[in-house]
C-alpha cells in the first residue's frame, strides 16, 4: 500500500482523486492514475509518453541525467568489459548471471535452435537483391511465426522460455541470410562447433571454397556492439513489441513489429543515417555548414547520432564505443577517415550553444557504424545488427510482460479533435 499520494483536483467541478505514488528501486516515482477516469472522467495527455511509465520492469534501468545504464543491476561498463553477448542475453531473460553449468546449458540450447526450416530459405528469393535489409528482416521474422504458431502457448512459462531461445538462436541465421542473398552468396548453415558470435560471423562472411578463420579482434568488436545494443528500457521498438504482445500476438510477429519500428532513423536506423551524414559532410571543412543546417528549424537535417529522449548527458554506450573505436580501428589496421570527421563533428557540436542548451550529446549510434564499417558490414546491414542484439531485450521484455499479474491489453485513449457528429450527404448533393 503506497503511503505517498498525489491529489488531482478539477477546479471546475471541484471533484478530487487521490492517486497512490509508487516508488521503484531507482528513478522517478510514478503516480498511479488507474482511478483517474473512473473518478474524474478524464484521461491523461502525454504525446511521445515523455512523462508516462507504461509498465513495471526489473530488466533495465537508465538514469538519463547521470548517464547510467544497468541491466538487471549490472553496469553496462562492466558487462561490456567482462561479459559476452550470449551471457548478457541469459542475464536479460533469466534475471541473474549464469553459473558455468547454466551458461553451458544455455549455449547448448541456443545452438540446438539455430537452424530454420529449409522452406524459409526460399522466402528470401522473393526479395530483390537490393531490398532494404530491414524490410526483409521484418518479413522473415513474421514468416517464422507461421512455423510455431500452433505450438506456442504464451501463457505457459516453458513455452515462453522456448520462444526466447528460438528468437535468440535464429536471429543470426535470419540476418546473415539477408547479407548472403544481397551479395549473391550461398546461405551457410550454422556450425555448432563455433560459439554464438563466431557462428554469426561465419554465416555472414565464410567463403564456400575456403576454410573460415575468425579474426579475434573482429569477434571482440561484434560482441561489444551486440552487448551495447541488447536492451534499453521502454524505447520505441521495445514498447511496440510489448504492445503487440499485449494483444496475445505470436511472439515472432511481435519481433517483426519491433524490427519495423527499429528501422526508423530516429531510432535504430540512426546508425545507417550517421554514415550517410558523414559521407555527405565528406571533409572536415564542411562540418560547420552541416551543424548550421542541423540547428536551422527550416531545414529537416538533424545531427544524426546526437540527442536522446532520456539521456541529457553522454550516453554511456557512446562513451564505451568511442573508446573502443579508436583501439579497434588501430588493431584492425583500418584507415577510417570518417572517424576523424566524426570526432571533429562531436567536438564542434559539444561546444555549440544550441547543443549545450538542449543537452544534446552523442548517442550509441554516433560511433557504432564506424566499427561495423571496419568489420566490412555494408551500411544497409547496420540496423539489422542492432535488431539482432535488441531481439534479446525484446523477448525478455515480452516474457516479463506476460508474467506480470497486472497484464492486460495495451489500449491508449485520445483527445478527439475531429468533426462533430453530422449526417451522411449523398454524393450528388456534395459541394
Ligand atoms: N540535431 C539537431 N537538433 C536536435 C537533435 C539533433 N540530433 N535532437 C534533438 N534536437 C533538438 C530538437 O529540434 C528540439 O529543439 P527545440 O527545443 O528547439 O524544438 C530539442 O533538441 C529537443 O528535441 P526533441 O525532438 O524534443 O527530442 P526527442 O526526445 O523527441 O527526440 C531523438 C530524441 C533521438 C529522436 C532526437 O534527438 C533525434 O532525432 N536524434 C537524431 C537521431 C538519432 O540519433 N537517433 C538515435 C537515438 S539512440 C539509438 C536508439 O535508441 O535507437
Amino acid at each position: 500500500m503506497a503511503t505517498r499520494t498525489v491529489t488531482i483536483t478539477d477546479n471546475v467541478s471541484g471533484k478530487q482523486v487521490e492517486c497512490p505514488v509508487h516508488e521503484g528501486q531507482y528513478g522517478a516515482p510514478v503516480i498511479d492514475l488507474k482511478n483517474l477516469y473512473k473518478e474524474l472522467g478524464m484521461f491523461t495527455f502525454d504525446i511521445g509518453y515523455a512523462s508516462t511509465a507504461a509498465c513495471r520492469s526489473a530488466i533495465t534501468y537508465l538514469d538519463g541525467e547521470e548517464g547510467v545504464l544497468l541491466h538487471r543491476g549490472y553496469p553496462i561498463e562492466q558487462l561490456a568489459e567482462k561479459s559476452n553477448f550470449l551471457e548478457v542475453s541469459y542475464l536479460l531473460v533469466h534475471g541473474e548471471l549464469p553459473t558455468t553449468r547454466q551458461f553451458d546449458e544455455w549455449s547448448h540450447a541456443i545452438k540446438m535452435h539455430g537452424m530454420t526450416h529449409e522452406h524459409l530459405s526460399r522466402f528470401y528469393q522473393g526479395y530483390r537483391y537490393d531490398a532494404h535489409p530491414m524490410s526483409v528482416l521484418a518479413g522473415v521474422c513474421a514468416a517464422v511465426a507461421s512455423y510455431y504458431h500452433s505450438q506456442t502457448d504464451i501463457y505457459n512459462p516453458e513455452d515462453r522460455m522456448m520462444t526466447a531461445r528460438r528468437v535468440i538462436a535464429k536471429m543470426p541465421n535470419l540476418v546473415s541470410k539477408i547479407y548472403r542473398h544481397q551479395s549473391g552468396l550461398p546461405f551457410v548453415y550454422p556450425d555448432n562447433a563455433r560459439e554464438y558470435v563466431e557462428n554469426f560471423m561465419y554465416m555472414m562472411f565464410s567463403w564456400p571454397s575456403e576454410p573460415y578463420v575468425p579474426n579475434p579482434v573482429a569477434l571482440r568488436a561484434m560482441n561489444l556492439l551486440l552487448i551495447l545494443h541488447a536492451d534499453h528500457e521502454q524505447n520505441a521498438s521495445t514498447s511496440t513489441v510489448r504492445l503487440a504482445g499485449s494483444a496475445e500476438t505470436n511472439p515472432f510477429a511481435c519481433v517483426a513489429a519491433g524490427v519495423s519500428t527499429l528501422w526508423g532513423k530516429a531510432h535504430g536506423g540512426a546508425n545507417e543515417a550517421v554514415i550517410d551524414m558523414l559521407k555527405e559532410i565528406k571533409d572536415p571543412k564542411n562540418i560547420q555548414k552541416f551543424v548550421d543546417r542541423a540547428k536551422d528549424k527550416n531545414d529537416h537535417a538533424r545531427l544524426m547520432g546526437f540527442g536522446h529522449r532520456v539521456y541529457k548527458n553522454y550516453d554511456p554506450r557512446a562513451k564505451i564505443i568511442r573508446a573502443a573505436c579508436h583501439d579497434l580501428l588501430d588493431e584492425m589496421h583500418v584507415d577510417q577517415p570518417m572517424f576523424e570527421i566524426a570526432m571533429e563533428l562531436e567536438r564542434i557540436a559539444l561546444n555549440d550553444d544550441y547543443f549545450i542548451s538542449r543537452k544534446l550529446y552523442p548517442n550509441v549510434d554516433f560511433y557504432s557504424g564506424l566499427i561495423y564499417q571496419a568489420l566490412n558490414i555494408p551500411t544497409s546491414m547496420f540496423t539489422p545488427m542492432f535488431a539482432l542484439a535488441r531481439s534479446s531485450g525484446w523477448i525478455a521484455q515480452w516474457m516479463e510482460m506476460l508474467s506480470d499479474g497486472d497484464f492486460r491489453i495495451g489500449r491508449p485513449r485520445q483527445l478527439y479533435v475531429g468533426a462533430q457528429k453530422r449526417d451522411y450527404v449523398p454524393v450528388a448533393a456534395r459541394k
Side-chain angles (χ1 to χ4, degrees):
M1 187 66 190
T3 49
R4 186 173 170 189
T5 59
V6 164
T7 303
I8 300 173
T9 307
D10 175 358
N11 64 7
V12 173
S13 68
K15 278 191 192 166
Q16 286 193 329
V17 57
E18 194 177 353
C19 304
V21 172
H22 304 303
E23 305 272 352
Q25 180 70 259
Y26 298 126
V30 302
I31 305 170
D32 186 336
L33 295 172
K34 211 172 28 239
N35 292 328
L36 186 69
Y37 181 64
K38 205 163 72 191
E39 301 292 335
L40 292 192
M42 290 182 188
F43 299 133
T44 56
F45 185 60
D46 180 22
I47 286 185
Y49 310 119
S51 300
T52 296
C55 62
R56 65 167 77 76
S57 181
I59 300 176
T60 293
Y61 170 71
L62 64 101
D63 179 334
E65 302 298 327
E66 298 296 324
V68 170
L69 172 59
L70 310 176
H71 291 318
R72 300 289 192 181
Y74 296 102
I76 190 65
E77 293 79 6
Q78 292 180 25
L79 294 172
E81 188 192 335
K82 299 178 180 161
S83 188
N84 59 67
F85 176 69
L86 198 56
E87 185 178 71
V88 170
S89 66
Y90 180 99
L91 175 68
L92 294 174
V93 168
H94 293 83
E96 295 296 336
L97 285 170
T99 61
T100 306
R101 189 177 58 77
Q102 287 166 334
F103 181 78
D104 290 346
E105 280 170 10
W106 177 244
S107 172
H108 178 74
I110 298 296
K111 283 178 183 171
M112 289 303 108
H113 293 290
M115 295 281 287
T116 58
H117 197 290
E118 200 60 20
H119 291 173
L120 190 76
S121 300
R122 298 211 283 274
F123 195 84
Y124 289 80
Q125 311 308 329
Y127 287 92
R128 248 174 66 150
Y129 66 95
D130 60 351
H132 194 285
M134 286 300 275
S135 156
V136 184
L137 188 58
V140 292
C141 285
V144 175
S146 67
Y147 293 95
Y148 302 108
H149 193 60
S150 54
Q151 319 163 8
T152 309
D153 173 5
I154 60 168
Y155 291 109
N156 178 342
E158 282 173 24
D159 278 19
R160 291 202 292 265
M161 186 56 79
M162 175 61 85
T163 299
R165 289 178 180 156
R166 284 186 178 133
V167 168
I168 293 165
K170 291 184 201 308
M171 281 303 267
N173 189 330
L174 300 177
V175 169
S176 67
K177 282 195 176 106
I178 302 174
Y179 173 70
R180 305 291 289 194
H181 175 62
Q182 283 199 330
S183 316
L185 287 164
F187 294 154
V188 177
Y189 292 104
D191 171 2
N192 285 351
R194 300 173 193 274
E195 289 313 319
Y196 189 86
V197 172
E198 182 185 328
N199 212 351
F200 171 59
M201 299 292 261
Y202 164 71
M203 287 189 280
M204 284 280 283
F205 295 120
S206 61
W207 201 250
S209 46
E210 294 289 328
Y212 177 72
V213 184
N215 172 347
V217 181
L219 293 186
R220 214 172 68 229
M222 184 54 78
N223 240 312
L224 177 71
L225 288 167
L226 294 182
I227 292 172
L228 295 180
H229 287 89
D231 193 50
H232 210 231
E233 210 224 49
Q234 307 311 318
N235 55 86
S237 57
T238 302
S239 299
T240 301
V241 169
R242 279 185 177 258
L243 192 57
S246 79
E248 307 186 14
T249 296
N250 180 295
F252 272 98
C254 298
V255 170
V259 168
S260 303
T261 307
L262 189 73
W263 189 2
K265 66 180 179 176
H267 192 8
N271 53 15
E272 183 180 340
V274 167
I275 296 296
D276 292 342
M277 172 185 77
L278 294 175
K279 276 187 190 150
E280 189 184 331
I281 293 175
K282 208 167 157 190
D283 192 287
K285 70 175 192 298
N286 301 323
I287 293 176
Q288 190 58 54
K289 207 159 65 196
F290 193 88
V291 170
D292 291 341
R293 281 187 58 202
K295 292 170 7 183
D296 181 355
K297 295 285 169 216
N298 298 317
D299 192 319
H300 68 271
R302 278 192 163 197
L303 205 49
M304 299 316 291
F306 252 74
H308 196 275
R309 168 61 59 77
V310 183
Y311 291 123
K312 301 302 164 199
N313 198 331
Y314 220 107
D315 177 341
R317 303 166 301 172
K319 251 189 212 164
I320 298 169
I321 294 199
R322 187 183 193 274
C325 203
H326 222 288
D327 297 347
L328 289 167
L329 296 179
D330 259 10
E331 277 187 82
M332 287 190 270
H333 308 292
V334 177
D335 181 27
Q336 181 62 283
M338 273 199 234
F339 184 53
E340 306 304 323
I341 299 179
M343 292 222 306
E344 182 58 6
L345 177 57
E346 179 193 87
R347 192 191 63 76
I348 291 178
L350 290 180
N351 285 296
D352 188 309
D353 249 7
Y354 175 94
F355 294 91
I356 296 170
S357 62
R358 288 169 180 76
K359 299 190 176 167
L360 300 170
Y361 289 85
N363 60 52
V364 67
D365 286 321
F366 192 67
Y367 286 108
S368 63
L370 296 170
I371 303 185
Y372 288 133
Q373 266 201 334
L375 297 175
N376 285 324
I377 293 170
T379 315
S380 65
M381 286 296 296
F382 292 179
T383 317
M385 299 294 141
F386 192 158
L388 160 53
R390 185 57 56 86
S391 55
S392 60
W394 289 336
I395 211 62
Q397 301 261 357
W398 172 83
M399 289 173 78
E400 183 183 64
M401 176 186 73
L402 284 162
S403 58
D404 188 320
D406 280 349
F407 166 69
R408 63 200 293 219
I409 190 168
R411 178 48 169 100
R413 301 305 302 267
Q414 63 173 9
L415 176 65
Y416 176 69
V417 293
Q420 289 186 344
K421 187 179 174 208
R422 49 189 169 162
D423 291 325
Y424 180 84
V425 181
V427 67
R430 286 177 214 158
K431 301 204 177 76

